[in-house]
Amino acid sequence: MTHDEMLNIYKKAGALLEGHFELSSGLHSSVYLQSALVLQHPEYASLLCSQLAEVFKDRKIEVVIAPALGGIIVAHEVARHLGVRAIFAEREKGALALRRGFRIEEGERAIVVEDVITTGGSVKEAIAVVEKNKGMLVGVGSLIDRSGGTAEIGHPYHSLLVLSEPAFRPQECPLCKSGKKAVKPGSRNL
């Protein structure tokens, strides 16, 4: 899938938003990618996640894990295409943890997936969950990397689409300086 084809899916689903947003990372941007609006359509979820699964198909993956909330559907669809389990880590006392009876066995080959990465913070927390449970992290994948490829994941990483959308600390945000109030559509802000 080309850069333009993927962006067109986001546009068609109404998921490429413009305004003033506070991202889950705490950074501000004039562009927000609301993947939930894309992933609510099974045909889009299957199409995008099958392409992400293709990257990992020969790596003997045993489990796909994502940080909740944004990565849950991505994990499920990638796992379905790989024929393995899908689990997610969610916040417990401010940190990501496995709950609901989910587990990673020692040495189990895992990938971490996410919908959109800006700084990689949630992905790094999910990687820590894999490592804490003595799983073997094989790689990391996302639908979109909005950092322009600058997010430091620290492990082999693949994204279907790399964008370079400026994001600012609140004190440096030109939209804040102009008096526009940021909205917080991300799941970490709920």
Side-chain angles (χ1 to χ4, degrees):
M1 177 174 294
T2 68
H3 176 274
D4 289 341
E5 289 170 334
M6 192 158 168
L7 271 182
N8 284 336
I9 288 174
Y10 270 73
K11 288 176 183 175
K12 195 180 205 180
L16 183 59
L17 309 176
E18 294 182 0
H20 183 196
F21 304 100
E22 182 178 331
L23 308 175
S24 296
S25 63
L27 298 176
H28 287 203
S29 180
S30 63
V31 175
Y32 190 83
L33 298 147
Q34 183 58 278
S35 294
L37 294 175
V38 172
L39 298 171
Q40 72 178 331
H41 299 283
E43 66 275 15
Y44 291 153
S46 181
L47 174 65
L48 296 174
C49 295
S50 69
Q51 292 196 9
L52 194 54
E54 188 70 18
V55 173
F56 299 101
K57 73 176 184 178
D58 296 325
R59 299 193 191 167
K60 300 178 182 166
I61 306 305
E62 296 172 290
V63 64
V64 179
I65 179 173
L69 187 68
I72 293 175
I73 294 173
V74 177
H76 184 271
E77 282 296 306
V78 168
R80 184 173 69 82
H81 286 284
L82 293 173
V84 300
R85 292 183 307 123
I87 61 175
F88 57 88
E90 58 190 306
R91 299 220 173 270
E92 183 175 64
K93 298 179 185 171
L96 284 184
L98 293 179
R99 299 178 55 203
R100 303 173 194 266
F102 289 146
R103 63 190 188 338
I104 297 172
E105 299 297 332
E106 185 172 344
E108 194 169 23
R109 296 176 62 83
I111 57 172
V112 172
V113 297
E114 178 66 294
D115 60 340
V116 178
I117 289 179
T118 301
T119 63
S122 295
V123 164
K124 290 176 192 171
E125 288 184 75
I127 290 168
V129 169
V130 172
E131 291 170 344
K132 177 182 177 187
N133 287 276
K134 298 185 170 98
M136 180 187 296
L137 184 70
V138 176
V140 177
S142 70
L143 299 181
I144 297 176
D145 172 356
R146 61 169 287 140
S147 77
T150 64
E152 294 182 23
I153 305 301
H155 294 276
Y157 170 56
H158 180 82
S159 182
L160 295 181
L161 178 64
V162 178
L163 297 175
S164 212
E165 292 297 337
F168 305 92
R169 292 187 308 204
Q171 61 272 27
E172 298 166 351
C173 176
L175 295 167
C176 286
K177 289 177 181 177
S178 73
K180 294 181 181 168
K181 183 168 172 50
V183 295
K184 301 187 288 186
S187 62
R188 203 185 303 183
N189 300 309
L190 299 176

